[in-house]
Amino acid sequence: MPVYTFAYKVGREAALLNDEEWEKIEPLMDVRKRVESIARYQEETGVSSDEASLKDPSGMEALQVYFELTGVELEHPNQLYGVKLSEYGSLCPSCSKPFRTPRAKFCANCGYKLPNGEVAGPLGDQS
């Protein structure tokens, strides 16, 4: 079950995927395969690299899988790189947005600093 919270790479609240859910998208978002897919799409259609990155078949398929899992639509396949739950830290006690990583020592959103020696820890259920 996705966790809904602010996702930095999406720039708004989104559904974050646990590892099991992410495994369904990860093969489509493999960087090497995605670069090849974008280049192939650009060569076949003659569109710009920006448009090819937006509309390449592997990225579009990954967006569709994400939508099927969450019911949430994203605007660009690259946003999927920011929806993996295990990459986020717990919610900030000051602003309630997640820390950028589980190892974070301060909140990138509001600047809240955790006590010396503490780190954010993981966000939500990692199953």
Side-chain angles (χ1 to χ4, degrees):
M1 186 89 178
V3 171
Y4 293 85
T5 191
F6 185 81
Y8 288 96
K9 290 182 181 177
V10 178
R12 62 177 169 85
E13 192 166 294
L16 303 183
L17 305 176
N18 65 31
D19 289 345
E20 183 179 309
E21 293 161 331
W22 177 250
E23 286 175 7
K24 297 172 183 171
I25 291 177
E26 186 173 31
L28 300 167
M29 296 303 292
D30 174 80
V31 174
R32 181 179 297 149
K33 290 179 185 175
R34 184 116 196 284
V35 167
E36 291 169 1
S37 178
I38 290 168
R40 193 169 37 256
Y41 183 81
Q42 186 176 16
E43 186 176 307
E44 291 169 359
T45 62
V47 299
S48 70
S49 58
D50 287 341
E51 189 172 346
S53 174
L54 175 64
K55 295 182 179 178
D56 83 278
S58 68
M60 296 304 289
E61 185 179 350
L63 284 174
Q64 181 60 37
V65 172
Y66 177 80
F67 177 75
E68 290 168 3
L69 289 169
T70 67
V72 174
E73 289 187 12
L74 297 178
E75 294 79 30
H76 198 290
N78 288 350
Q79 291 175 317
L80 291 167
Y81 292 116
V83 298
K84 188 174 178 185
L85 178 65
S86 62
E87 293 180 358
Y88 285 88
S90 63
L91 297 179
C92 173
S94 178
C95 71
S96 298
K97 289 196 174 158
F99 287 90
R100 282 194 187 236
T101 74
R103 296 181 314 274
K105 297 177 182 180
F106 72 95
C107 177
N109 183 63
C110 72
Y112 176 85
K113 291 183 182 178
L114 290 168
N116 250 355
E118 287 187 29
V119 295
L123 174 65
D125 178 21
Q126 303 295 303
S127 61

